[in-house]
Amino acid sequence: MQNFQGVGVSPGRIIGSVRQMPKPVSEPPSGERLASDLSPEEAVAGLKAAAQSVHDELKGRADSASGDGKAVLEATALMAKDTMLLKSAAKLINAGSSAERAIWEAGASVSEMLHNLGGYMAERATDVLDVRARIVAELRGVPAPGIPASDTPFILVAEDLAPADTATLNPAVVLALVTSGGGPQSHTAIIARSLGLPAVVAAHGVDSVADDSEVYVDGAAGFVAVSPSEEQRAAATAWAETSATLAEFDGNGTTADGHLVPLLANVGGAKDAVAAAALGAQGVGLFRTEFCFLERDTEPSVDEQAAAYKAVFDAFPGKKVVLRTLDAGADKPLPFLTDASEPNPALGVRGYRTDFTTPGVLERQLEAIARAASESEADVWVMAPMISTAAEAGRFASLCAAAGIQTPGVMVEVPSAALTAATVLREVGFASLGTNDLTQYAMAADRQLGPLAELNTPWQPAVLRLVQLTVEGATQEGSGREGDPKPVGVCGEAAADPALAVVLTGLGVTTLSMTARSLAAVGTVLKTVALEQAQELAQLALSAPSALEARDWVRAKLPVLEELGL
Amino acid sequence: MPERTATIASRSGLHARPAALFAEAAGEQPVEVTIAMQGEPADDALDAASILSLMTLGAAKGDVVVLRAEGDGADAALDALVKLLETDLDAE
């Protein structure tokens, strides 16, 4: 029996058979020549046949898809047998190149052309590269890249998933996700939590498990076992029962002794907001407004923005909705706002900072928010991402005031903002900790890199200390005037981990905002803990010498997690 | 050589879904059809059945394009394709 230990990122205990995601297609060597026993005509005919079968496969998938996914697949299918692409490849073959190398180069130049056109065309540039890789795989006789198509449910094992894989990931057939790379903040983890799929990342060696092997996955413990034992089968059966009771949140976030911690949802648009409200969310703690801007080559109009924001506000009448202004840059580039050629985008012009280089966009967004807020019944709070100094917070507050927005706030995700929370909070009405970026910046570890997974967890005592400093800053700021300290919430992935949610509550965080699917699990665990115990657990985590020990020590004191399989 | 002009009616221009529908229809014609922006030389015309060519053409709503074809059935093919371009395919 073979076991793998990784990092659990989304709870659930499940048994299923493995499908390995094929490795990315490698580049055919530059200058690769046509095989001597093949004429150019034969090679061109072979390329056309491969292109046709890639077309047929994509077309078949388009026929069974619906909505936006269908349109994208149809367009991608057509690209596979596109005359422009195949003719330029044929030209290279006639000049002596191998078919694989020819289609690789032809795809690269078409993709570059589309990329340079910007906007929607640039988005399609990746589709051309996907088609190119599929044709090369077909020519080589290896499985097509991407998530395997299957009618029977399976556990997907991959090196890591990219955001683009979400579109083709069908939660009806994928039972769980296991990756050999990636970290707790990787896209795999985020995708898994939003779909409610059990997931383990950074399980080194799991790539070697053969297709169709039966495995047991425990997404809380980060454990994967080949050929499950009787005990593990029983655990999976038990999970199937408890997960049903963990699906519903009663809409009342509180500790056992009645200390209220409202549990809010992270949403990206009206559809998410309606779903979150149905799952019992007590409001929205993070409304990402990027959706309104993505796939655009120009800025959306104030009217268009106002309508989109109002649709989210309307899902929570009388409740709090915290909106984050445009957070472009780094992993979310926007052609009209960010400079893709920055050498170090995570430390570049992103978030609030885009207002330095492209003034006006933020003010128009605030105007749209104010208008939508005045037309809805939601209690709208507005925060800026990537605030580093009190001066920036002050400037953002005055922009909000000018637009008629009552409650301005800041995201605390740059360590400098946590360290100077008292002066930052003097300028605004609230703070919200973005633990994903706060962790990445505190630990100087890129969120997407598998080898840094151990550094990149909000269980790092240094990150918890920054959370504590932010809360202390709020208390200090409050003591200098009449009234309560200003609220400090958490809206990163950390809030979705029930054990961390207890620690954050103990540190004095006032609200927790998470993917709506995690509300019930977090709410259930929080109800079993008194505030004093949460405070003790917070101290315990802060005193740990490592993230691993912080997590293990806290989990050991919360046996309810093991009972529920969380 | 028979040719027709057509004004792009789809809201998103000749991108995305409209481009896919048009390229597919052009590919089903018995003759080869080319497409160019109005005023551009016929030598620079692109293959109308190539979705990638259509995307690089970058025709927006309201732009006028020229379709050309030669051979048996050219006129019927051009008429059918003009009709398609002048329909708002995003609305369907």
Side-chain angles (χ1 to χ4, degrees):
Chain A
M1 202 172 75
Q2 214 180 352
N3 296 335
F4 301 93
Q5 184 65 50
V7 180
V9 292
S10 181
R13 292 169 175 163
I14 204 156
I15 288 174
S17 56
V18 162
R19 289 293 298 270
Q20 291 277 355
M21 183 140 129
K23 294 256 179 302
V25 170
S26 62
E27 176 176 348
S30 167
E32 186 180 75
R33 307 292 295 168
L34 193 58
S36 54
D37 57 346
L38 214 57
S39 73
E41 292 71 27
E42 287 166 328
V44 170
L47 176 62
K48 282 191 175 158
Q52 183 67 42
S53 69
V54 169
H55 166 270
D56 294 349
E57 142 80 11
L58 291 170
K59 189 75 175 48
R61 278 170 50 187
D63 290 343
S64 61
S66 61
D68 288 351
K70 185 188 183 74
V72 169
L73 281 168
E74 276 173 348
T76 315
L78 279 177
M79 287 176 192
K81 56 169 196 180
D82 190 274
T83 48
M84 178 185 187
L85 187 65
L86 293 178
K87 273 181 190 162
S88 64
K91 211 181 265 179
L92 294 169
I93 293 174
N94 286 324
S97 169
S98 74
E100 289 87 343
R101 183 67 201 176
I103 191 71
W104 190 269
E105 284 180 17
S109 64
V110 172
S111 161
E112 195 186 338
M113 202 150 73
L114 291 176
H115 182 79
N116 291 340
L117 286 169
Y120 173 83
M121 303 305 168
E123 294 278 328
R124 299 280 78 80
T126 24
D127 297 345
V128 176
L129 297 181
D130 176 51
V131 160
R132 165 181 89 166
R134 286 174 178 280
I135 296 175
V136 172
E138 183 72 26
L139 285 167
R140 287 179 180 160
V142 300
I147 295 171
S150 168
D151 297 329
T152 51
F154 61 93
I155 290 172
L156 181 64
V157 180
E159 193 180 324
D160 196 9
L161 296 181
D165 293 318
T166 338
T168 52
L169 196 157
N170 178 1
V173 295
V174 177
L175 298 169
L177 304 176
V178 178
T179 63
S180 58
Q185 324 274 354
S186 65
H187 283 288
T188 303
I190 294 168
I191 292 167
R193 282 189 284 252
S194 72
L195 295 174
L197 292 175
V200 176
V201 301
H204 307 295
V206 81
D207 321 69
S208 64
V209 177
D211 271 355
D212 300 323
S213 311
E214 195 179 38
V215 297
Y216 166 76
V217 174
D218 184 333
F223 179 74
V224 180
V226 181
S227 310
S229 65
E230 280 315 309
E231 211 171 73
Q232 288 162 344
R233 283 181 199 283
T237 310
W239 167 260
E241 284 159 22
T242 49
S243 65
T245 67
L246 284 174
E248 266 175 73
F249 172 52
D250 62 8
N252 181 27
T254 173
T255 60
D257 53 343
H259 170 70
L260 298 183
V261 185
L263 303 187
L264 315 172
N266 295 349
V267 306
K271 211 171 115 191
D272 284 0
V274 170
L279 285 167
Q282 293 173 267
V284 171
L286 172 63
F287 169 21
R288 305 181 178 97
T289 53
E290 289 77 57
F291 81 99
C292 210
F293 293 82
L294 289 176
E295 304 209 3
R296 303 280 301 233
D297 41 15
T298 53
E299 182 189 342
S301 70
V302 169
D303 285 347
E304 198 181 323
Q305 291 187 49
Y309 303 153
K310 185 171 182 296
V312 171
F313 299 164
D314 285 348
F316 288 93
K319 297 198 174 143
K320 179 161 93 172
V321 176
V322 184
L323 178 150
R324 178 179 73 191
T325 57
L326 187 56
D327 187 19
D331 56 345
K332 291 168 288 199
L334 276 185
F336 60 93
L337 212 52
T338 56
D339 173 6
S341 67
E342 279 180 357
N344 204 343
L347 303 182
V349 179
R350 55 167 301 203
Y352 169 76
R353 301 167 175 186
T354 55
D355 191 53
F356 305 166
T357 49
T358 319
V361 177
L362 179 60
E363 276 162 277
R364 286 186 289 277
Q365 186 179 25
L366 292 173
E367 182 191 339
I369 295 163
R371 190 190 302 169
S374 71
E375 290 167 1
S376 89
E377 288 165 38
D379 177 18
V380 176
W381 296 19
V382 183
M383 61 185 179
M386 288 293 289
I387 291 290
S388 319
T389 65
E392 287 176 1
R395 181 159 176 282
F396 181 70
S398 60
L399 289 176
C400 284
I405 289 165
Q406 313 287 335
T407 317
V410 295
M411 291 277 294
V412 174
E413 44 197 343
V414 182
S416 64
L419 295 167
T420 58
T423 47
V424 167
L425 273 165
R426 203 171 292 153
E427 307 290 338
V428 291
F430 70 98
S432 181
L433 289 145
T435 46
N436 303 357
D437 272 328
L438 186 62
T439 305
Q440 143 163 300
Y441 292 129
M443 305 309 297
D446 190 315
R447 282 159 68 170
Q448 309 299 340
L449 295 181
L452 304 182
E454 266 177 51
L455 289 174
N456 225 320
T457 152
W459 280 105
Q460 285 290 349
V463 177
L464 297 175
R465 178 78 179 116
L466 287 169
V467 173
Q468 186 188 39
L469 281 170
T470 308
V471 173
E472 284 173 5
T475 309
Q476 191 193 329
E477 191 278 334
S479 67
R481 56 174 171 80
E482 300 276 311
D484 294 330
K486 291 172 179 171
V488 176
V490 168
C491 65
E493 296 289 325
D497 173 340
L500 254 179
V502 169
V503 168
L504 294 169
T505 300
L507 288 171
V509 162
T510 53
T511 54
L512 298 168
S513 188
M514 63 203 78
T515 173
R517 287 192 185 263
S518 300
L519 290 167
V522 170
T524 303
V525 173
L526 203 55
K527 273 200 179 72
T528 65
V529 182
L531 179 59
E532 202 184 320
Q533 194 199 350
Q535 287 164 341
E536 285 163 16
L537 291 175
Q539 290 309 320
L540 187 65
L542 279 170
S543 69
S546 72
L548 204 65
E549 280 150 299
R551 181 176 186 271
D552 287 350
W553 292 359
V554 169
R555 290 186 66 92
K557 300 259 184 186
L558 291 170
V560 62
L561 296 170
E562 181 57 30
E563 276 163 38
L564 293 173
L566 290 170
Chain B
M1 183 191 282
E3 62 175 65
R4 304 280 189 282
T5 58
T7 309
I8 308 292
S10 294
R11 264 168 276 168
S12 63
L14 208 45
H15 300 167
R17 189 158 172 271
L21 291 171
F22 180 78
E24 198 153 32
E28 285 163 5
Q29 303 301 328
V31 288
E32 274 193 23
V33 183
T34 67
I35 185 167
M37 299 296 276
Q38 191 176 42
E40 285 189 1
D43 284 353
D44 290 351
L46 301 165
D47 182 354
S50 157
I51 185 170
L52 294 170
S53 298
L54 294 177
M55 288 169 62
T56 54
L57 189 68
K61 178 180 160 65
D63 282 350
V64 179
V65 297
V66 184
L67 300 180
R68 296 183 181 86
E70 203 155 22
D72 284 346
D75 285 297
L78 293 176
D79 289 339
L81 293 175
V82 165
K83 206 173 149 204
L84 201 57
L85 287 181
E86 300 202 325
T87 309
D88 182 359
L89 297 169
D90 286 318
E92 287 179 4

